[in-house]
Amino acid sequence: LQHLSHKDSIVVQLFGNLDTGEADDYANDIVSQFALKLDAKSSHIIPCPVIVANQIILDILMHDDKICKSINLARSCNKMIINIGLPNEDNCLYKGGYIGDEELQSLRSQNTVGCIGCRFFDENGKIIDEQLDKRTIGVSAEDILNAETVITCVVGAHKAKALLAALVAGYLDVVIVDSVAALEVISLYNSRSL
C-alpha cells in the first residue's frame, strides 16, 4: 500500500478478533499498518472474540470502556472495507472454532448463501440465525447499510451467489471483482430476473 496522507482519518476494526491459541488473524498488525500507511490520526481494534457463547457474555463485554468505544467508532465509520464469505469449512469463523459443524449445517439448512463480515445472510441479503447474530461482536447489518461507502473485493465464481445477495440487499457500494466472478454474478442476476 502506497503511503497516503489522511491525517484526520481513524482506522477501526469492524468485528472482534478471530485470534485463537492455534491461529492468529493479525488484526492489530493489519489495523495499525493500514493506519500508518494512511498517516491516520489513530487506530482501534476490538479487543475481544468475534463471537461469544451467549448474549450475557456479549452484554458484559459491551460494558468495557475500550470495547464499547471501539464498537461505537466502528459503527460510525463512513467507509468500510469488508469481506464476503461463504457458509463452508473455509469460512474463517469455522476455521477459528467460532462456529462448529452443527451451526454450519444449521446455516446451510436455512439457505444461507454468504456472510458480510461475520453476518450470515440468505439470497436476498436477509440476516440468518438471529441467535448467532446476537452473539456476534461488531458492526451490524444495519451499520453496514448506513455506512457512506462499503467496499469489498471478490475473486472467483464460487462467491458469486453471496456477492449478488449482498448487492441485492444494498450492502455494497464499491466492488472490486475479477472477470470470472463478475460474469457469474451477471448470469445469476439474469436468471433470477426471469
Side-chain angles (χ1 to χ4, degrees), residues 8-55:
D8 293 331
S9 63
I10 297 171
V11 177
V12 185
Q13 181 181 3
L14 298 177
F15 289 93
N17 285 310
L18 292 166
D19 292 349
T20 65
E22 300 163 3
D24 191 349
D25 71 353
Y26 303 101
N28 190 40
D29 293 339
I30 293 167
V31 169
S32 62
Q33 285 298 313
F34 202 78
L36 184 67
K37 291 290 187 179
L38 290 177
D39 200 17
K41 183 177 3 180
S42 62
S43 65
H44 303 266
I45 62 162
I46 300 174
C48 60
V50 65
I51 296 176
V52 292
N54 58 55
Q55 182 75 42

Short mmCIF file of all heavy atoms in Angstrom, two decimals, residues 8-55:
data_model
loop_
_atom_site.label_atom_id
_atom_site.label_comp_id
_atom_site.label_asym_id
_atom_site.label_seq_id
_atom_site.Cartn_x
_atom_site.Cartn_y
_atom_site.Cartn_z
N ASP A 8 -6.76 13.20 9.26
CA ASP A 8 -7.99 13.27 10.06
C ASP A 8 -8.71 11.92 10.15
O ASP A 8 -9.74 11.81 10.81
CB ASP A 8 -8.94 14.31 9.48
CG ASP A 8 -8.39 15.72 9.64
OD1 ASP A 8 -7.63 15.96 10.58
OD2 ASP A 8 -8.75 16.59 8.81
N SER A 9 -8.18 10.92 9.47
CA SER A 9 -8.87 9.62 9.46
C SER A 9 -8.54 8.79 10.69
O SER A 9 -7.52 8.97 11.35
CB SER A 9 -8.52 8.85 8.18
OG SER A 9 -7.15 8.56 8.14
N ILE A 10 -9.46 7.87 10.98
CA ILE A 10 -9.29 6.91 12.07
C ILE A 10 -9.54 5.53 11.46
O ILE A 10 -10.52 5.34 10.74
CB ILE A 10 -10.29 7.18 13.20
CG1 ILE A 10 -10.05 8.55 13.82
CG2 ILE A 10 -10.21 6.09 14.27
CD1 ILE A 10 -11.13 8.97 14.81
N VAL A 11 -8.68 4.58 11.72
CA VAL A 11 -8.83 3.22 11.22
C VAL A 11 -9.34 2.34 12.36
O VAL A 11 -8.76 2.33 13.45
CB VAL A 11 -7.49 2.67 10.66
CG1 VAL A 11 -7.65 1.23 10.20
CG2 VAL A 11 -6.99 3.56 9.52
N VAL A 12 -10.44 1.63 12.10
CA VAL A 12 -11.10 0.86 13.14
C VAL A 12 -11.41 -0.54 12.63
O VAL A 12 -11.92 -0.71 11.52
CB VAL A 12 -12.44 1.52 13.57
CG1 VAL A 12 -13.06 0.78 14.73
CG2 VAL A 12 -12.25 2.99 13.90
N GLN A 13 -11.12 -1.54 13.44
CA GLN A 13 -11.52 -2.91 13.15
C GLN A 13 -13.04 -2.98 13.26
O GLN A 13 -13.64 -2.38 14.15
CB GLN A 13 -10.86 -3.83 14.17
CG GLN A 13 -11.15 -5.29 13.99
CD GLN A 13 -10.47 -6.13 15.08
OE1 GLN A 13 -9.83 -5.62 15.98
NE2 GLN A 13 -10.64 -7.43 14.97
N LEU A 14 -13.70 -3.70 12.35
CA LEU A 14 -15.16 -3.74 12.32
C LEU A 14 -15.77 -4.86 13.15
O LEU A 14 -16.94 -4.78 13.53
CB LEU A 14 -15.65 -3.86 10.87
CG LEU A 14 -15.28 -2.70 9.95
CD1 LEU A 14 -15.75 -2.99 8.53
CD2 LEU A 14 -15.84 -1.39 10.46
N PHE A 15 -15.02 -5.92 13.42
CA PHE A 15 -15.52 -7.06 14.19
C PHE A 15 -14.48 -7.48 15.20
O PHE A 15 -13.29 -7.17 15.05
CB PHE A 15 -15.84 -8.24 13.25
CG PHE A 15 -17.04 -8.01 12.40
CD1 PHE A 15 -16.91 -7.46 11.13
CD2 PHE A 15 -18.31 -8.31 12.87
CE1 PHE A 15 -18.03 -7.22 10.35
CE2 PHE A 15 -19.43 -8.08 12.09
CZ PHE A 15 -19.29 -7.53 10.83
N GLY A 16 -14.91 -8.22 16.22
CA GLY A 16 -13.98 -8.76 17.20
C GLY A 16 -12.94 -9.64 16.53
O GLY A 16 -13.00 -9.93 15.34
N ASN A 17 -11.97 -10.06 17.32
CA ASN A 17 -10.84 -10.83 16.80
C ASN A 17 -11.18 -12.28 16.50
O ASN A 17 -12.01 -12.88 17.16
CB ASN A 17 -9.69 -10.79 17.80
CG ASN A 17 -8.98 -9.47 17.79
OD1 ASN A 17 -8.61 -8.97 16.73
ND2 ASN A 17 -8.80 -8.88 18.95
N LEU A 18 -10.48 -12.81 15.53
CA LEU A 18 -10.57 -14.22 15.19
C LEU A 18 -9.41 -15.01 15.79
O LEU A 18 -9.30 -16.20 15.59
CB LEU A 18 -10.54 -14.41 13.67
CG LEU A 18 -11.76 -13.88 12.93
CD1 LEU A 18 -11.49 -13.80 11.44
CD2 LEU A 18 -12.96 -14.76 13.20
N ASP A 19 -8.55 -14.32 16.54
CA ASP A 19 -7.38 -14.97 17.13
C ASP A 19 -7.80 -16.12 18.04
O ASP A 19 -8.75 -16.00 18.81
CB ASP A 19 -6.57 -13.98 17.97
CG ASP A 19 -5.91 -12.91 17.14
OD1 ASP A 19 -5.90 -13.04 15.91
OD2 ASP A 19 -5.41 -11.94 17.73
N THR A 20 -7.09 -17.21 17.93
CA THR A 20 -7.26 -18.33 18.84
C THR A 20 -5.88 -18.74 19.28
O THR A 20 -4.88 -18.22 18.80
CB THR A 20 -7.96 -19.53 18.15
OG1 THR A 20 -7.09 -20.03 17.12
CG2 THR A 20 -9.30 -19.15 17.55
N GLY A 21 -5.79 -19.69 20.15
CA GLY A 21 -4.49 -20.18 20.57
C GLY A 21 -3.75 -20.86 19.44
O GLY A 21 -2.53 -20.97 19.44
N GLU A 22 -4.50 -21.34 18.44
CA GLU A 22 -3.91 -22.08 17.33
C GLU A 22 -3.69 -21.23 16.08
O GLU A 22 -2.92 -21.60 15.20
CB GLU A 22 -4.82 -23.26 16.98
CG GLU A 22 -5.00 -24.21 18.13
CD GLU A 22 -6.19 -25.14 17.93
OE1 GLU A 22 -6.84 -25.08 16.88
OE2 GLU A 22 -6.47 -25.92 18.85
N ALA A 23 -4.40 -20.11 15.97
CA ALA A 23 -4.30 -19.28 14.77
C ALA A 23 -4.36 -17.81 15.15
O ALA A 23 -4.96 -17.45 16.16
CB ALA A 23 -5.43 -19.63 13.81
N ASP A 24 -3.75 -16.98 14.35
CA ASP A 24 -3.74 -15.54 14.60
C ASP A 24 -4.25 -14.84 13.35
O ASP A 24 -3.83 -15.14 12.24
CB ASP A 24 -2.30 -15.10 14.91
CG ASP A 24 -2.22 -13.69 15.43
OD1 ASP A 24 -3.23 -12.96 15.38
OD2 ASP A 24 -1.14 -13.30 15.90
N ASP A 25 -5.17 -13.89 13.53
CA ASP A 25 -5.68 -13.15 12.37
C ASP A 25 -4.89 -11.87 12.13
O ASP A 25 -5.13 -11.17 11.18
CB ASP A 25 -7.17 -12.87 12.51
CG ASP A 25 -7.51 -11.84 13.57
OD1 ASP A 25 -6.61 -11.40 14.32
OD2 ASP A 25 -8.70 -11.46 13.64
N TYR A 26 -3.95 -11.56 13.00
CA TYR A 26 -3.09 -10.39 12.87
C TYR A 26 -3.87 -9.09 12.78
O TYR A 26 -3.45 -8.13 12.14
CB TYR A 26 -2.14 -10.53 11.66
CG TYR A 26 -1.29 -11.77 11.73
CD1 TYR A 26 -1.63 -12.90 10.99
CD2 TYR A 26 -0.18 -11.82 12.55
CE1 TYR A 26 -0.86 -14.05 11.07
CE2 TYR A 26 0.59 -12.97 12.63
CZ TYR A 26 0.24 -14.08 11.89
OH TYR A 26 0.99 -15.21 11.97
N ALA A 27 -5.05 -9.04 13.43
CA ALA A 27 -5.91 -7.85 13.36
C ALA A 27 -5.18 -6.59 13.79
O ALA A 27 -5.25 -5.57 13.11
CB ALA A 27 -7.16 -8.07 14.21
N ASN A 28 -4.48 -6.66 14.91
CA ASN A 28 -3.79 -5.47 15.40
C ASN A 28 -2.74 -5.00 14.39
O ASN A 28 -2.63 -3.81 14.11
CB ASN A 28 -3.14 -5.74 16.76
CG ASN A 28 -2.63 -4.48 17.40
OD1 ASN A 28 -3.27 -3.44 17.34
ND2 ASN A 28 -1.47 -4.57 18.03
N ASP A 29 -1.98 -5.94 13.82
CA ASP A 29 -0.96 -5.58 12.83
C ASP A 29 -1.58 -4.95 11.58
O ASP A 29 -1.09 -3.95 11.07
CB ASP A 29 -0.15 -6.80 12.41
CG ASP A 29 0.70 -7.36 13.54
OD1 ASP A 29 0.99 -6.62 14.50
OD2 ASP A 29 1.08 -8.54 13.46
N ILE A 30 -2.66 -5.56 11.11
CA ILE A 30 -3.32 -5.05 9.89
C ILE A 30 -3.87 -3.65 10.12
O ILE A 30 -3.63 -2.74 9.32
CB ILE A 30 -4.44 -6.02 9.44
CG1 ILE A 30 -3.83 -7.35 8.98
CG2 ILE A 30 -5.30 -5.40 8.34
CD1 ILE A 30 -4.85 -8.47 8.80
N VAL A 31 -4.58 -3.47 11.22
CA VAL A 31 -5.18 -2.16 11.51
C VAL A 31 -4.08 -1.11 11.72
O VAL A 31 -4.16 -0.01 11.15
CB VAL A 31 -6.12 -2.25 12.74
CG1 VAL A 31 -6.54 -0.87 13.22
CG2 VAL A 31 -7.34 -3.09 12.40
N SER A 32 -3.06 -1.43 12.48
CA SER A 32 -2.01 -0.44 12.74
C SER A 32 -1.19 -0.12 11.48
O SER A 32 -0.84 1.03 11.24
CB SER A 32 -1.10 -0.87 13.89
OG SER A 32 -0.44 -2.06 13.60
N GLN A 33 -0.90 -1.13 10.65
CA GLN A 33 -0.17 -0.88 9.40
C GLN A 33 -1.00 -0.05 8.41
O GLN A 33 -0.48 0.82 7.74
CB GLN A 33 0.24 -2.20 8.74
CG GLN A 33 1.40 -2.89 9.42
CD GLN A 33 2.66 -2.04 9.39
OE1 GLN A 33 3.05 -1.49 8.36
NE2 GLN A 33 3.29 -1.90 10.54
N PHE A 34 -2.29 -0.34 8.36
CA PHE A 34 -3.19 0.43 7.49
C PHE A 34 -3.22 1.89 7.95
O PHE A 34 -3.12 2.81 7.14
CB PHE A 34 -4.59 -0.18 7.51
CG PHE A 34 -5.43 0.17 6.33
CD1 PHE A 34 -5.23 -0.46 5.11
CD2 PHE A 34 -6.43 1.12 6.43
CE1 PHE A 34 -6.00 -0.14 4.00
CE2 PHE A 34 -7.21 1.45 5.33
CZ PHE A 34 -7.00 0.82 4.12
N ALA A 35 -3.32 2.11 9.25
CA ALA A 35 -3.33 3.47 9.80
C ALA A 35 -2.01 4.17 9.53
O ALA A 35 -1.99 5.37 9.20
CB ALA A 35 -3.62 3.42 11.30
N LEU A 36 -0.92 3.44 9.66
CA LEU A 36 0.40 4.01 9.40
C LEU A 36 0.52 4.46 7.94
O LEU A 36 0.99 5.56 7.65
CB LEU A 36 1.48 2.97 9.74
CG LEU A 36 2.92 3.42 9.62
CD1 LEU A 36 3.24 4.47 10.68
CD2 LEU A 36 3.85 2.22 9.79
N LYS A 37 0.07 3.61 7.02
CA LYS A 37 0.14 3.95 5.59
C LYS A 37 -0.76 5.12 5.23
O LYS A 37 -0.47 5.87 4.30
CB LYS A 37 -0.22 2.73 4.73
CG LYS A 37 0.81 1.63 4.78
CD LYS A 37 2.08 2.04 4.09
CE LYS A 37 3.05 0.88 4.00
NZ LYS A 37 4.28 1.24 3.33
N LEU A 38 -1.85 5.29 5.95
CA LEU A 38 -2.76 6.41 5.69
C LEU A 38 -2.37 7.67 6.46
O LEU A 38 -2.97 8.72 6.26
CB LEU A 38 -4.20 6.03 6.08
CG LEU A 38 -4.90 5.01 5.22
CD1 LEU A 38 -6.28 4.70 5.77
CD2 LEU A 38 -5.01 5.50 3.77
N ASP A 39 -1.37 7.54 7.34
CA ASP A 39 -0.98 8.64 8.21
C ASP A 39 -2.20 9.08 9.04
O ASP A 39 -2.44 10.27 9.24
CB ASP A 39 -0.42 9.81 7.39
CG ASP A 39 0.43 10.75 8.21
OD1 ASP A 39 0.86 10.36 9.31
OD2 ASP A 39 0.65 11.89 7.77
N ALA A 40 -2.97 8.08 9.49
CA ALA A 40 -4.21 8.33 10.23
C ALA A 40 -3.94 8.88 11.62
O ALA A 40 -2.87 8.68 12.19
CB ALA A 40 -5.01 7.04 10.33
N LYS A 41 -4.96 9.53 12.14
CA LYS A 41 -4.88 10.12 13.48
C LYS A 41 -4.72 9.02 14.54
O LYS A 41 -3.96 9.17 15.50
CB LYS A 41 -6.15 10.93 13.74
CG LYS A 41 -6.16 11.65 15.05
CD LYS A 41 -7.37 12.53 15.34
CE LYS A 41 -8.46 12.57 14.34
NZ LYS A 41 -9.56 13.47 14.72
N SER A 42 -5.46 7.91 14.37
CA SER A 42 -5.39 6.82 15.34
C SER A 42 -5.92 5.53 14.73
O SER A 42 -6.51 5.54 13.64
CB SER A 42 -6.19 7.16 16.60
OG SER A 42 -7.56 7.33 16.29
N SER A 43 -5.70 4.43 15.45
CA SER A 43 -6.25 3.14 15.03
C SER A 43 -6.80 2.44 16.26
O SER A 43 -6.31 2.64 17.38
CB SER A 43 -5.19 2.28 14.35
OG SER A 43 -4.17 1.94 15.25
N HIS A 44 -7.84 1.63 16.04
CA HIS A 44 -8.50 0.94 17.15
C HIS A 44 -8.87 -0.47 16.74
O HIS A 44 -9.42 -0.68 15.65
CB HIS A 44 -9.78 1.68 17.55
CG HIS A 44 -9.55 3.10 17.92
ND1 HIS A 44 -9.35 3.50 19.21
CD2 HIS A 44 -9.46 4.23 17.16
CE1 HIS A 44 -9.16 4.81 19.24
NE2 HIS A 44 -9.21 5.27 18.01
N ILE A 45 -8.59 -1.42 17.62
CA ILE A 45 -9.06 -2.79 17.41
C ILE A 45 -10.20 -3.05 18.40
O ILE A 45 -10.42 -2.27 19.33
CB ILE A 45 -7.94 -3.83 17.60
CG1 ILE A 45 -7.39 -3.80 19.02
CG2 ILE A 45 -6.84 -3.66 16.57
CD1 ILE A 45 -6.63 -5.04 19.40
N ILE A 46 -10.92 -4.12 18.17
CA ILE A 46 -11.95 -4.55 19.10
C ILE A 46 -11.35 -5.73 19.86
O ILE A 46 -11.26 -6.84 19.33
CB ILE A 46 -13.25 -4.93 18.36
CG1 ILE A 46 -13.77 -3.72 17.58
CG2 ILE A 46 -14.29 -5.46 19.34
CD1 ILE A 46 -14.97 -3.99 16.70
N PRO A 47 -10.89 -5.49 21.10
CA PRO A 47 -10.11 -6.49 21.84
C PRO A 47 -10.94 -7.57 22.52
O PRO A 47 -10.93 -7.71 23.74
CB PRO A 47 -9.36 -5.62 22.86
CG PRO A 47 -10.32 -4.51 23.14
CD PRO A 47 -11.02 -4.24 21.83
N CYS A 48 -11.66 -8.33 21.72
CA CYS A 48 -12.45 -9.44 22.26
C CYS A 48 -12.77 -10.40 21.12
O CYS A 48 -12.56 -10.07 19.95
CB CYS A 48 -13.72 -8.92 22.92
SG CYS A 48 -14.80 -8.03 21.81
N PRO A 49 -13.30 -11.57 21.43
CA PRO A 49 -13.63 -12.53 20.36
C PRO A 49 -14.74 -12.01 19.46
O PRO A 49 -15.56 -11.19 19.88
CB PRO A 49 -14.12 -13.77 21.13
CG PRO A 49 -13.80 -13.54 22.54
CD PRO A 49 -13.61 -12.09 22.76
N VAL A 50 -14.79 -12.49 18.24
CA VAL A 50 -15.82 -12.08 17.29
C VAL A 50 -17.18 -12.66 17.64
O VAL A 50 -18.21 -12.01 17.43
CB VAL A 50 -15.40 -12.43 15.84
CG1 VAL A 50 -15.32 -13.92 15.63
CG2 VAL A 50 -16.33 -11.80 14.83
N ILE A 51 -17.20 -13.86 18.17
CA ILE A 51 -18.45 -14.49 18.58
C ILE A 51 -18.25 -15.05 19.99
O ILE A 51 -17.21 -15.66 20.27
CB ILE A 51 -18.88 -15.62 17.61
CG1 ILE A 51 -19.18 -15.03 16.23
CG2 ILE A 51 -20.11 -16.36 18.14
CD1 ILE A 51 -19.50 -16.07 15.17
N VAL A 52 -19.23 -14.82 20.85
CA VAL A 52 -19.16 -15.33 22.22
C VAL A 52 -20.25 -16.39 22.42
O VAL A 52 -21.15 -16.53 21.59
CB VAL A 52 -19.28 -14.20 23.26
CG1 VAL A 52 -18.05 -13.30 23.20
CG2 VAL A 52 -20.55 -13.38 23.06
N ALA A 53 -20.18 -17.11 23.52
CA ALA A 53 -21.06 -18.26 23.75
C ALA A 53 -22.53 -17.88 23.94
O ALA A 53 -23.41 -18.65 23.57
CB ALA A 53 -20.58 -19.05 24.98
N ASN A 54 -22.78 -16.69 24.51
CA ASN A 54 -24.18 -16.30 24.73
C ASN A 54 -24.31 -14.79 24.85
O ASN A 54 -23.32 -14.07 24.97
CB ASN A 54 -24.77 -17.02 25.95
CG ASN A 54 -23.99 -16.75 27.21
OD1 ASN A 54 -23.78 -15.60 27.59
ND2 ASN A 54 -23.52 -17.82 27.86
N GLN A 55 -25.55 -14.33 24.86
CA GLN A 55 -25.88 -12.91 24.93
C GLN A 55 -25.39 -12.27 26.23
O GLN A 55 -24.99 -11.11 26.24
CB GLN A 55 -27.40 -12.74 24.78
CG GLN A 55 -27.88 -11.31 24.79
CD GLN A 55 -27.62 -10.57 23.52
OE1 GLN A 55 -27.80 -11.12 22.44
NE2 GLN A 55 -27.20 -9.32 23.60
#
